[in-house]
Amino acid sequence: MADALLFHPHTYDPAHFDPETRRLLRATVDWFETRGKRKLIEDYRDRAWLADFLAFAAKENLFATFLTPAAEAGDRPDRRWDTARVAALNEILGFYGLDYWYAWQVTILGLGPVWQSGNAAARARAAELLEQGEVFAFGLSEKTHGADIYSTDMLLEPTTDGGFRATGSKYYIGNGNAAGLVSVFGRRTDVEGPEGYVFFAADSRHPAYHLVKNVVDSSKFVSEFRLEDYPVASEDVLHTGRAAFDAALNTVNVGKFNLCTASIGICEHAMYEAVTHAHTRVLYGRPVTAFPHVRRELADAYVRLVGMKLFSDRAVDYFRSAGPEDRRYLLFNPMTKMKVTTEGEKVIDLMWDVIAAKGFEKDNYFSQAAVEIRGLPKLEGTVHVNLALILKFMRNHLLDPVAHPEVPTRTDAADDTFLFRQGPARGLGSVRFHDWRPAYDHYATVPNVARFREQADALAAFVATHAPDEAQSRDLDFLLSVGQLFALVVHGQLILEQARLTGLDESVLDELFSVLVRDFSGHAVELHGKDSATPAQQEWALAAVRRPVVDEDRSARVWNRVEALSGAYEMNP
């Protein structure tokens, strides 16, 4: 029997969505399953461009249905930007291969500046390109500056007709080989400072657009391209001045959320393979899964994966319910990017420790998963960048909550319009949060939730009484250790909120929080050892270390769930 907590292609039925969404998600699963594992792996190994998948997506109007806001959809009522179903497709594409997800992901990024633009002609053009099955690209980063948009060398020279001529190069741009529209960030040569920024639409098929190369050895076409005297008409301009800067950051806000569910999909497919291999392999006369350390590693991987799903599903609700007066998503978004994707790495590593050499074999999905899982924490800003961003919310979240209306589960067929009118990308210190404690209070009788709550309370006391001083505030190495502790509290909070909404088995929840207790203790010890930690902070760190509550019966119940994954799914050959 399939585990209800994990995606299973044979039993997948997203009945909580409307009929057309349900049909498209199921059709996507069926396309991959019909294509089969052998072809999936061959294309990955041969670095084949995704023409077959994109042809399927075009035939089904998959991207057009999921990525066209209702305002641009005309008389097609199924088209809207709905983060819940975007997340569901992320998971499916991650499950079958990150190359497929990547083409979809950079299309989302490329559309971000367009859907935020007041240029109605450009929006209509984008909607028509989606209808035609085209992909999009996001021309932000550069070879010498990365994503430092303050330093762009894409230069736009004004012309007498009110347009520009653009010259410069962009680097690490997904879909740059095929995009019908590339949203390109640059700056005017005649205007200094932020008012000179421009976002404009380019076409990769234009003669003045020069594709240099694919910068990675992969089916993902992550391009370097150069514009040479590229004509930018006034109708191609998406944003100017500070609005262009805000569009860049707000697009990343929308796009980086997708990394968490892609990571989940990768881990789910790999877990089916890993548990099946370990449980059916006999060493020294016993199945590999008879060894206690193997059971612990696989059970830890399983509950970490469940935690990834719970957190991400709940974060969707905050994204969809966001508005000018409720910007809590600005914390939960980098959390999905930083925390969920690094949890994915841990899940793969735990399973790889068990299956060992099997994880390198070319006929398995796992060898692909072990490589691809590394990319997600490094895309759309590094772990360190997102952890530093998370720290900006720590004091308000832990110490100064305010009342907010309760956010329900959001799988309704609504258009998430606020994502494209987020406004200026500043004011993070003014974002306020609901009290995190009631989520923990509800599960106060679950032993390891209660144990972790002690650590969370200790962190709140640390922020109130031992917060980093002025010198430590410039020591990013020290601050990042504090950030890891804070991230665990937020991670646990949304897991508990979603557990309550879904009625999660408390044995699984308790086992998951035993892992989080260990994680918090590990980061506390790391903080203790930081060069700039004061004696009071060192004392606090050791006092925050806790041992998880051990319960052999609980662990056995969770192990039974893991063991049942053996042989539960094998992709159609």
Side-chain angles (χ1 to χ4, degrees):
M1 181 179 177
D3 188 309
L5 297 177
L6 303 187
F7 170 74
H8 192 301
H10 298 166
T11 60
Y12 180 64
D13 180 12
H16 51 289
F17 288 122
D18 63 277
E20 180 62 5
T21 299
R22 191 175 176 184
R23 184 192 72 78
L24 284 169
L25 293 173
R26 186 65 247 179
T28 304
V29 173
D30 291 342
W31 184 84
F32 281 109
E33 289 293 324
T34 300
R35 192 170 180 78
K37 185 176 183 178
R38 188 178 300 111
K39 180 62 173 169
L40 192 82
I41 292 173
E42 283 175 1
D43 284 352
Y44 175 77
R45 196 162 55 235
D46 295 342
R47 307 167 190 84
W49 174 239
L50 313 172
D52 289 350
F53 170 67
L54 295 177
F56 156 78
K59 174 178 173 290
E60 297 289 348
N61 279 319
L62 179 63
F63 288 15
T65 302
F66 279 31
L67 301 182
T68 307
E72 309 300 330
D75 60 355
R76 301 175 180 88
D78 292 314
R79 297 191 181 185
R80 63 184 184 276
W81 194 291
D82 174 339
T83 304
R85 66 180 186 176
V86 167
L89 187 57
N90 288 333
E91 184 177 3
I92 291 168
L93 297 180
F95 188 92
Y96 289 107
L98 203 63
D99 292 343
Y100 305 97
W101 171 85
Y102 188 72
W104 150 265
Q105 161 70 355
V106 289
T107 291
I108 287 172
L109 292 170
L111 285 165
V114 181
W115 298 145
Q116 293 176 67
S117 174
N119 184 333
R123 294 199 310 271
R125 178 179 159 204
E128 178 59 29
L129 288 169
L130 279 170
E131 174 71 23
Q132 295 168 10
E134 297 282 358
V135 294
F136 292 67
F138 186 53
L140 183 66
S141 64
E142 299 179 9
K143 190 170 187 177
T144 54
H145 303 299
D148 176 8
I149 57 180
Y150 294 100
S151 306
T152 179
D153 290 330
M154 177 64 70
L155 302 180
L156 287 87
E157 177 122 14
T159 57
T160 56
D161 60 0
F164 302 94
R165 290 277 173 170
T167 298
S169 61
K170 292 291 179 177
Y171 191 83
Y172 222 88
I173 310 301
N175 290 352
N177 61 317
L181 188 154
V182 186
S183 295
V184 183
F185 185 84
R187 59 184 173 91
R188 298 173 58 149
T189 57
D190 62 328
V191 177
E192 294 292 326
E195 294 306 319
Y197 294 138
V198 179
F199 240 126
F200 63 96
D203 184 345
S204 69
R205 299 170 182 88
H206 193 282
Y209 180 106
H210 303 285
L211 184 64
V212 178
K213 63 180 178 179
N214 186 358
V215 304
V216 300
D217 188 20
S218 165
S219 295
K220 304 175 194 66
F221 205 104
V222 186
S223 69
E224 177 183 2
F225 70 80
R226 180 166 182 81
L227 302 184
E228 293 280 2
D229 209 26
Y230 185 100
V232 180
S234 57
E235 58 265 30
D236 296 325
V237 175
L238 303 173
H239 302 273
T240 59
R242 293 180 184 274
F245 179 90
D246 291 336
L249 295 184
N250 290 336
T251 293
V252 174
N253 278 342
V254 175
K256 72 183 177 184
F257 182 78
N258 301 314
L259 279 71
C260 63
T261 33
S263 180
I264 288 164
I266 292 172
C267 291
E268 286 170 320
H269 196 157
M271 180 162 281
Y272 286 119
E273 278 195 349
V275 175
T276 299
H277 170 70
H279 195 57
T280 56
R281 186 166 179 80
V282 175
L283 290 179
Y284 313 114
R286 294 193 293 170
V288 168
T289 50
F291 295 95
H293 68 289
V294 167
R295 291 193 173 200
R296 181 191 61 77
E297 288 184 308
L298 292 179
D300 280 5
Y302 173 79
V303 295
R304 284 188 187 276
L305 177 52
V306 169
M308 292 163 65
K309 294 199 73 166
L310 293 167
F311 183 92
S312 301
D313 286 349
R314 186 57 176 151
V316 165
D317 302 333
Y318 287 97
F319 241 75
R320 303 198 71 198
S321 300
E325 306 306 317
D326 183 357
R327 299 199 297 160
R328 287 174 287 177
Y329 75 102
L330 290 173
L331 166 59
F332 303 140
N333 190 28
M335 277 289 302
T336 58
K337 156 65 184 103
M338 183 283 295
K339 186 63 180 172
V340 176
T341 61
T342 54
E343 284 291 286
E345 287 190 291
K346 292 175 185 175
V347 169
I348 294 295
D349 287 343
L350 285 163
M351 294 189 294
W352 205 353
D353 280 347
V354 171
I355 68 171
K358 190 74 175 177
F360 293 100
E361 292 186 9
K362 67 178 184 179
D363 294 329
N364 292 332
Y365 175 84
F366 195 96
S367 61
Q368 175 179 332
V371 172
E372 300 288 15
I373 201 70
R374 309 296 166 199
L376 291 164
K378 299 166 184 65
L379 296 172
E380 325 310 350
T382 64
V383 168
H384 304 113
V385 166
N386 282 278
L387 198 51
L389 177 58
I390 286 164
L391 277 165
K392 295 179 183 293
F393 303 101
M394 182 170 67
R395 178 170 285 274
N396 274 356
H397 184 277
L398 289 177
L399 302 181
D400 200 11
V402 298
H404 275 286
E406 181 132 356
V407 170
T409 299
R410 292 292 311 276
T411 55
D412 49 301
D415 198 51
D416 297 342
T417 56
F418 177 70
L419 297 182
F420 303 108
R421 50 178 182 83
Q422 295 176 55
R426 57 179 181 264
L428 302 185
S430 66
V431 177
R432 304 292 293 277
F433 300 88
H434 61 297
D435 195 341
W436 55 274
R437 294 171 182 83
Y440 287 89
D441 292 342
H442 182 76
Y443 286 103
T445 59
V446 177
N448 281 302
V449 175
R451 187 66 47 95
F452 186 82
R453 170 64 187 273
E454 295 173 13
Q455 295 176 307
D457 284 335
L459 181 63
F462 173 89
V463 173
T465 60
H466 300 301
D469 60 24
E470 185 176 346
Q472 288 174 325
S473 295
R474 295 190 295 271
D475 181 354
L476 189 57
D477 186 45
F478 177 83
L479 288 178
L480 292 178
S481 284
V482 178
Q484 290 285 6
L485 295 169
F486 174 51
L488 279 166
V489 176
V490 180
H491 189 57
Q493 176 194 347
L494 262 61
I495 285 170
L496 292 170
E497 289 184 12
Q498 188 68 6
R500 185 176 183 180
L501 288 167
T502 58
L504 181 71
D505 182 335
E506 288 193 3
S507 294
V508 175
L509 190 65
D510 199 18
E511 194 79 4
L512 169 57
F513 270 81
S514 74
V515 171
L516 300 187
V517 168
R518 279 189 266 133
D519 287 353
F520 194 101
S521 297
H523 288 301
V525 170
E526 183 180 0
L527 187 146
H528 174 270
K530 292 299 180 184
D531 293 350
S532 61
T534 67
Q537 289 167 338
Q538 293 172 45
E539 182 180 352
W540 173 89
L542 293 184
V545 172
R546 294 289 187 278
R547 172 183 166 81
V549 178
V550 176
D551 183 334
E552 292 183 1
D553 290 338
R554 176 201 72 219
S555 296
R557 289 191 295 273
V558 173
W559 172 250
N560 288 338
R561 299 181 72 112
V562 178
E563 190 176 43
L565 298 176
S566 177
Y569 168 76
E570 173 63 34
M571 187 176 176
N572 178 32

